[in-house]
């Protein structure tokens, strides 16, 4: 039983995988919206960028039901799709549009600033996520990158920026004024598969704290 006092008010869709390719994606957005919960989602932009009926359906469902969309610019090989998706969401989606940037080195900071200048106030937030070692890769944010990021944010007076939780250690002593919260204080992450539901602390900590077999 979900009561008014303990139900979520918003959900974010897309911690793993690309949500827009699911055949029931638009129906799911409508279903969530009709429960009184606002759906938001993260996408690589490919489905929206295409000129087909699926793209039009996603944009219409986004316009009617979605509070915000985050488009990932992390994969350079599909960034043109991501830019096209952002442009279509701004023009047709009637939703808050955000961009996710992976910050790894000074070049990636310059790329973020270029996109910030390109879109201006049309983007609600540019969300900055640090490159994290993953799997067999040991690569992370290079030395001096965060300090350079601080400089360019201050120099350009960039206000519509948000930081991923893994930046929290840098932000505790940063000259950038931010509101800091415990990384997992207001979140839970749900992974749905055909045979089970996994609940994890957040989208960046995927160790299950509860598993429900279906």
């Amino acid at each position: 039983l979900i009561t008014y006092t303990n139900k979520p008010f918003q959900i974010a869709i897309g911690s793993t995988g690309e949500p827009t390719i699911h055949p029931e994606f638009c129906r799911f957005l409508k279903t969530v919206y009709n429960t009184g919960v606002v759906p938001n989602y993260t996408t690589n932009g490919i489905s929206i960028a295409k000129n087909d009926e699926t793209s039009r359906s996603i944009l219409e469902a986004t316009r009617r039901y979605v509070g915000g969309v985050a488009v990932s610019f992390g994969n350079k090989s599909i960034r043109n799709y991501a830019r096209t998706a952002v442009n279509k969401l701004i023009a047709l989606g009637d939703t808050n549009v955000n961009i996710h940037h992976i910050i790894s080195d000074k070049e990636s900071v310059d790329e973020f600033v270029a996109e910030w200048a390109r879109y201006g106030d049309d983007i609600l937030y540019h969300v900055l996520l640090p490159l994290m070692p993953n799997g067999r890769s040991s690569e992370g944010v290079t030395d001096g990158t965060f300090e350079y990021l601080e400089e360019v944010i201050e120099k350009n007076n960039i206000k519509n920026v948000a930081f991923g939780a893994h930046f929290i250690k840098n932000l505790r002593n940063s000259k950038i004024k931010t509101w800091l919260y415990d990384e997992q204080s207001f979140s839970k992450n749900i992974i749905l598969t055909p045979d089970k539901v996994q609940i994890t602390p957040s989208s960046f900590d995927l160790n299950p704290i509860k598993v429900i077999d279906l």
Side-chain angles (χ1 to χ4, degrees):
L1 176 66
I2 297 177
T3 68
Y4 180 80
T5 56
N6 63 17
K7 77 171 186 179
F9 294 99
Q10 297 192 54
I11 64 169
I13 305 163
S15 67
T16 58
E18 172 55 38
T20 63
I21 64 175
H22 195 286
E24 298 294 327
F25 179 65
C26 294
R27 183 181 176 188
F28 181 68
L29 294 177
K30 180 180 179 180
T31 300
V32 172
Y33 178 85
N34 286 338
T35 66
V37 176
V38 178
N40 308 274
Y41 64 91
T42 300
T43 177
N44 60 24
I46 293 177
S47 297
I48 295 173
K50 294 177 179 179
N51 186 23
D52 59 14
E53 186 57 37
T54 297
S55 172
R56 289 186 284 273
S57 297
I58 293 171
L59 286 166
E60 176 61 15
T62 299
R63 184 186 68 80
R64 297 180 66 179
Y65 307 122
V66 173
V69 180
V71 181
S72 175
F73 275 35
N75 188 339
K76 291 184 180 181
S77 67
I78 60 172
R79 191 165 292 172
N80 285 337
Y81 289 105
R83 288 197 185 102
T84 300
V86 166
N87 293 336
K88 293 175 76 170
L89 286 161
I90 291 170
L92 303 170
D94 193 24
T95 189
N96 292 317
V97 182
N98 306 276
I99 295 176
H100 283 181
H101 304 268
I102 301 296
I103 301 299
S104 57
D105 53 21
K106 292 182 179 180
E107 181 182 349
S108 68
V109 174
D110 292 338
E111 290 174 355
F112 145 61
V113 174
E115 299 297 346
W116 168 80
R118 178 196 300 266
Y119 289 108
D121 293 336
D122 287 332
I123 300 301
L124 181 65
Y125 285 111
H126 293 270
V127 182
L128 309 182
L129 307 169
L131 177 66
M132 299 295 294
N134 187 34
R136 289 178 290 180
S137 174
S138 60
E139 293 185 11
V141 179
T142 59
D143 291 343
T145 296
F146 187 81
E147 291 75 15
Y148 180 63
L149 178 62
E150 286 181 303
E151 291 175 9
V152 299
I153 287 176
E154 188 174 53
K155 176 182 176 181
N156 292 282
N157 195 30
I158 299 175
K159 300 297 184 183
N160 58 334
V161 65
F163 292 87
H166 284 298
F167 266 129
I168 193 166
K169 292 181 180 178
N170 302 93
L171 293 168
R172 286 196 176 108
N173 298 307
S174 173
K175 56 187 175 183
I176 301 172
K177 293 182 179 179
T178 54
W179 286 266
L180 299 179
Y181 303 93
D182 180 75
E183 301 98 309
Q184 298 170 350
S185 57
F186 299 107
S187 67
K188 288 291 182 289
N189 184 60
I190 299 175
I191 302 174
L192 302 175
T193 58
D195 60 339
K196 60 186 174 182
V197 176
Q198 298 180 76
I199 302 174
T200 78
S202 66
S203 61
F204 53 89
D205 181 352
L206 300 180
N207 295 308
I209 57 176
K210 186 174 184 179
V211 177
I212 303 172
D213 294 319
L214 301 177

